[in-house]
Structure formats: structure tokens, C-alpha cells
Amino acid sequence: MSHDWPLYEVFVRGKRGLNHVHVGSLHAADDQMALHHARDLYTRRNEGVSIWVVKATDITASSPDEKDPFFAPSGDKVYRHPTFYDIPDDVPHM
Amino acid sequence: MTDLQEHFQRTLDRDQRLEPRDWVPDGYRKTMIRQIAQHAHSEIIGMQPEGNWITRAPSLRRKAILLAKVQDEAGHGLYLYSAAETLGAERAELTEKLIDGKQKYSSIFNYPTLNFADVGVIGWLVDGAAICNQVPLCRCSYGPYARAMIRICKEESFHQRQGYELLMTMMRGTDAQRRMVQDATDRWWWPSLMMFGPPDGDSPNTEQSMAWKIKRHTNDELRQRFVDMSVPQAEALGATLPDPSLCWNAERGHYDFGEIDWSEFKQVVRGNGPCNAQRVAHRRAAHDNGAWVREAALAHAAKHSAREEAAA
């Protein structure tokens, strides 16, 4: 059989209080096997307390080609940042 | 220059990382896939020389350590295959290329492990040389490769230390054990120096790889760094490095060392080392013998997803 097992992307929560972070990928025949392989491959030294696996084909990603237009809507909205506003230095706790 | 080329060059100039879906020149992609694949293959083939000693490790402690180390090598191979796949390479195709002899792996793994001290010397010198090579790769311009290298370097430190500790233990043992350490050191020293690749004058890809920020140092720079690190380590261990020309050069601030036998290196790279055929045959057999497992797991997964769909 020429089929490769499908590709899964792996996300690990390093410890409580942190987000899951993408750490890499692996091949597995199904979701459960992907989880077990992810444990063996990416958490051999207590690197995680929780793992997500998702088939790579199920991920929708923005394209780098349209990077600028895609993120343009936030580019010109400087008033979303606190530094946009002038507050006198002697106003406390602001 | 097109927008895409400009974006690529600007990313390099700013010392930023290129990420999987960025446009890169074909040459960059090919070079990167070849380098990452060779590196992955080296980790996978590298399991064999040490795996040779797992069942014969002298204590449960050494056996557990060696098992963990060989498991790490498998892990490193898989991180790297995963990085190569982000460039469009297929996992199955990379494995095929390895077992068909179409892609290479580090020539160091074509030498045999003749006594248990070899396990220690591999950790000390071979993994030490690998660390020298790999630390700068943590800043490689290709993001997924650089990230895999960071993970690998952290784990290699355990590999090197367990090897050196093993050798120190043997040096505190009997005369026969000390002779084993010296014998292993004699056999692995020169092949370890060859791990850095041909001398700069004979390394045609270095210039382009440095321009693309794939490589950060030349082969000879890294080799010198490794020699400078290893001499005091050998002294502390009480082993002699098998090179009569090895001596401190105060003017250069480095150790001078003897001429490397590049004809031996070329022979091993061409497939004529002591274990080339055995290493590839073993990998092929493992792949072929695992075929039914890969098929059965897929069939099992298909059956279960069909059942779940029927129940839904």
C-alpha cells in the first residue's frame, strides 16, 4: 500500500496557565494514535500537561501571499493602542 | 527583482526566519530539503551503532540510559522529517530515498561499535561534534529547522554528558577498561573530525548556504572549535587523542592538529565504509517488516471511522 498515514499537527500546553503551542507534526493512522505518538515524540521530558492533535488538512491558514492586504484592516487603527492617547505625566496610575 | 524575491531577501537581511508558506527560491528549498533530510536520516541510522549495545549493556542503569538515548535519536529524526515536510517533501518518499541510497546520512555512522566504551566515546566525541555543528543551526534562516534544532540541542546535552560520565567510570576501573576507552578514542577521533565535512577550499556549497543564512560558520571554523573543546576534555579524562601533531598554538590561540585523511572520508561517503551496506540493509528490513503494521493500522482506522459514521 502506498498510502502514508495522514499528517497531524501537534499543540502542547507546557504547564497550567499557558496556551497550547504548536510544536511540530507527525503521522498517525487515527486521532488516538496521533495523541499517543505526540506524547512519545514531543513530551519525553515532561514538556507538557495537555496535547491537542489535529489533522493538517483540517487547518485553514491565511496565505503569506496576501499577508499585507489580509492584515491591512488593523494597520491603520493606531487608536487601538494605549500610546495613541496623550495623558499628562502627573496623572497617576494611568 | 520581483516582490516575492524582495520579500525573501528582506527577511534574510533582517535576520528574520522564513516560514513554511513563504516564497523561497527553488535552490533554497532544494538545499534545505536535502540538508534536513540528510540530517534526519543521520539520526535514524545513528540509532544502529548504539542500539547494538542495548541488550549487552553492563548494568540496568546503563541499559535504561542507552534506551532513552536511542529513543531520542528516533525522536530527533522525526522532528527533522516533520520540518522537511513543511517544505513539501513527503515522509514516505524521504524514507524511500534513504533505503534506495539516493540520499546520504552522516558518514560517522558507517563505523562499527566494537566495545562498550564506544557507547561512551560516541556520546563524548560524536555527539560533541554534532552539538558544535547544531548550535549555530538553531539560528538557521528556515524557522521549522531552527526550532527542531533548539529542541534537539537541549536533548544532545544529555547524550554528551552520559557518554563522558560512562568513560570516566571506566577510567576509574581496571586496566582492561582503560584500554577499552583508549581503543575507542583512537578509532572515533578522526571520523569525528570528518563529521564537519570537507575543508573550506573543497566545500562548494558553503558560500551559498552562508549567504542564505542556512550555515553560520564554515566547516573548518567548526572543526577548530571542536578540537579546542575536546583537548582539555581528553586531558581531564586521562585519554590520549591519537594525533601526535596536536599542540597549542599561542599565536593563533587554537590547537594545531594533523592532516585528516580525506581519501578515507571520500571512500566512506561513496558507500565503501565498514558498515554502509549493513546500515542501509537494516533500515530497509525494518521498513519492509513494518509494512503490515502500517497497513493494518490504516485498515483499523478506516473500519472505526465507518462504524462511527454509521452510528451517527
Side-chain angles (χ1 to χ4, degrees), chain B residues 32-264:
Chain B
M32 213 58 257
I33 289 178
R34 195 187 59 226
Q35 179 169 336
I36 300 174
Q38 278 188 12
H39 195 160
H41 298 332
S42 301
E43 299 282 359
I44 296 299
I45 295 289
M47 295 162 75
Q48 292 183 41
E50 291 175 283
N52 180 35
W53 285 95
I54 290 176
T55 57
R56 291 173 290 165
S59 67
L60 188 57
R61 179 175 183 271
R62 293 292 169 197
K63 184 181 289 204
I65 292 169
L66 193 50
L67 260 176
K69 182 175 185 236
V70 172
Q71 194 187 9
D72 273 354
E73 315 287 1
H76 296 177
L78 295 177
Y79 303 154
L80 289 162
Y81 283 131
S82 158
E85 284 180 284
T86 65
L87 287 157
E90 299 257 338
R91 177 79 57 103
E93 195 187 321
L94 295 174
T95 303
E96 290 294 324
K97 282 185 175 160
L98 170 62
I99 61 185
D100 288 343
K102 288 181 186 152
Q103 276 177 342
K104 302 215 178 294
Y105 53 88
S106 176
S107 58
I108 192 83
F109 301 116
N110 291 315
Y111 291 88
T113 42
L114 301 180
N115 83 52
F116 191 71
D118 287 38
V119 170
V121 171
I122 287 178
W124 169 37
L125 294 179
V126 176
D127 294 321
I131 291 170
C132 267
N133 258 331
Q134 289 171 352
V135 167
L137 289 174
C138 296
R139 293 184 295 123
C140 167
S141 58
Y142 189 59
Y145 188 42
R147 292 191 286 273
M149 292 319 311
I150 290 171
R151 193 175 274 276
I152 289 173
C153 283
K154 276 188 198 159
E155 298 181 355
E156 288 287 353
S157 168
F158 142 59
H159 295 184
Q160 195 187 22
R161 290 172 67 104
Q162 68 80 34
Y164 196 80
E165 188 226 41
L166 187 164
L167 296 174
M168 288 199 313
T169 308
M170 289 185 81
M171 291 303 277
R172 286 194 299 267
T174 63
D175 282 344
Q177 285 176 308
R178 279 186 284 277
R179 277 197 300 275
M180 286 165 75
V181 173
Q182 188 57 53
D183 168 54
T185 306
D186 290 345
R187 283 181 288 107
W188 289 96
W189 172 249
W190 290 104
S192 299
L193 293 188
M194 295 175 197
M195 284 176 70
F196 297 92
D200 293 348
D202 194 20
S203 176
N205 300 323
T206 292
E207 195 183 344
Q208 179 63 78
S209 285
M210 290 186 66
W212 278 333
K213 299 191 178 176
I214 294 172
K215 257 175 116 153
R216 300 284 183 158
H217 306 280
T218 71
N219 296 351
D220 286 334
E221 284 167 13
L222 292 169
R223 190 168 10 247
Q224 181 70 61
R225 187 179 295 180
F226 174 68
V227 171
D228 291 346
M229 278 170 38
S230 300
V231 173
Q233 291 170 352
E235 277 168 14
L237 187 63
T240 308
L241 297 174
D243 179 359
S245 335
L246 202 58
C247 71
W248 178 251
N249 182 329
E251 206 173 301
R252 290 201 308 128
H254 293 289
Y255 283 92
D256 288 337
F257 55 99
E259 191 61 32
I260 293 169
D261 180 0
W262 291 112
S263 63
E264 175 183 324

Side-chain angles (χ1 to χ4, degrees), chain A residues 5 25 27 44-45 62 64, chain B residues 21 72 82 85 155 158 294:
Chain A
W5 287 346
S25 66
H27 289 269
R44 285 196 302 283
R45 291 180 174 79
S62 64
Chain B
R21 300 178 72 200
D72 273 354
S82 158
E85 284 180 284
E155 298 181 355
F158 142 59
R294 295 192 293 278

Side-chain angles (χ1 to χ4, degrees), chain A residues 48-78:
Chain A
V49 294
S50 163
I51 299 175
W52 290 345
V53 291
V54 57
K55 275 205 179 96
T57 49
D58 287 342
I59 291 180
T60 308
S62 64
S63 155
D65 300 342
E66 55 174 5
K67 179 171 67 77
D68 293 340
F70 188 75
F71 291 105
S74 74
D76 58 355
K77 295 181 179 60
V78 284

